[in-house]
Amino acid sequence: MKFKLTAQDKLSKARAGEITTDHGVIQTPIFMPVGTAGTVKAVHQRELKNDIEAQIILGNTYHLYLRPGLETLEKAGGLHKFNGWDKPILTDSGGYQVYSLSQARKIKEEGVTFRSHIDGSKHLFTPEAAMDIQRVIGADIIMAFDECTPYPCDYGYARRSIEMTHRWLKRCCDRFDSTEPKYGYSQTLFPIVQGSVYKDLRERSAEVIASFGREGNAIGGLSVGEPAEEMYAMTEIVCNILPQDKPRYLMGVGTPVNILENIALGIDMFDCVMPTRNARHGLLFTKNGILNMRNEKWKNDFTPIDEDSDLWVDREHTKAYLRHLITSGEMLGAQIASLHNLHFYLWLVNEARQHIINGDFYSWKNAMVTQLAQRL
């Protein structure tokens, strides 16, 4: 994997760049649609490519390990062949499930023992296993195995957690560097900075992660319930330490406002389930603000879903029709809303990129965040 910086904003730390992988080039800043179980919910791969113009999607190691399972994925030739996506893929390591499955797991130095949410069966994820599983899945970018601490989290726990995460990272790197990719293309390992909302822990973790000298770095453990101001403060601290010449990935973030503010702090890559999850509940993001399609006010509104959009479903369907689909529980409602939200997120990061290149990102961002947060 290679990363090239192409532009830097003068009034913020926002930057535009290009990540080159064996499955294609990714222009940054970028938003990555989340395809947890090998699919971005309610969206076909052709729509991801042609309508949304996604450049990279995510898969989830924990979910893919349980279903369809490693044997099936390896027989298929990896996730790209299995789901028919020929552009880059990133997989998380299962570390987030360590956080989210708090009632069904035990964390030890060896790794994490957990019970499947599907059938209750018992499994062990170690740093080595996380590398081996992601080799089988075959993502272009794979994540180190870490612990994502909850919020709030006391200082002592957060300190012990980052120390273990750093020890786990050494084991991840040793295993990754002693194994080869399975399907004839290269894979890249990103470490993850942790440290909850403690400045000194974030600094320490960022310094340790940077010292490993991998091709890219990630920031985890944010957007887990802390105030947005805390997220921005921690992101700024970490971006000041992580190397300038490598991509920075802020995991699990976030709202359109979160994304723009973090681009301004120097983040290059984002992912979040919010555009698709909110879509299924009838919440649409637009550049003028947020629409709740369940509201009565849209019942007889026969204007296009989004008049400013160049996406065909936004022009061809009305707000009244989409509200009918959503309130009726029709699958087409989730499909249209998901397409809209993902298209908007990709439009937003591409606009940010163009304004960074044009030299007016900071003023554009400040105007946009006011609009984006409005409820329409």
Side-chain angles (χ1 to χ4, degrees), residues 189-250:
L189 172 63
F190 279 25
I192 303 171
V193 177
Q194 290 287 350
S196 188
V197 292
Y198 300 105
K199 180 177 184 290
D200 62 321
L201 297 184
R202 284 286 173 180
E203 289 174 341
R204 182 173 165 190
S205 187
E207 288 164 358
V208 170
I209 265 59
S211 74
F212 275 79
R214 309 309 297 199
E215 290 90 345
N217 299 292
I219 305 169
L222 296 174
S223 194
V224 292
E226 80 282 356
E229 293 72 24
E230 296 266 28
M231 178 205 306
Y232 302 146
M234 296 303 107
T235 299
E236 184 172 23
I237 288 165
V238 172
C239 284
N240 286 339
I241 296 169
L242 292 180
Q244 290 278 328
D245 61 347
K246 295 176 181 179
R248 304 170 183 143
Y249 164 31
L250 182 57

Side-chain angles (χ1 to χ4, degrees), residues 253-295:
V253 175
T255 67
V257 170
N258 292 158
I259 286 173
L260 290 188
E261 295 292 5
N262 281 297
I263 287 173
L265 296 171
I267 295 295
D268 307 296
M269 304 167 70
F270 301 87
D271 80 285
C272 191
V273 297
M274 185 172 284
T276 47
R277 181 176 289 170
N278 283 22
R280 296 193 298 276
H281 294 289
L283 285 174
L284 301 190
F285 298 100
T286 75
K287 67 180 181 182
N288 297 312
I290 302 165
L291 287 72
N292 183 346
M293 298 313 299
R294 292 183 177 275
N295 286 351

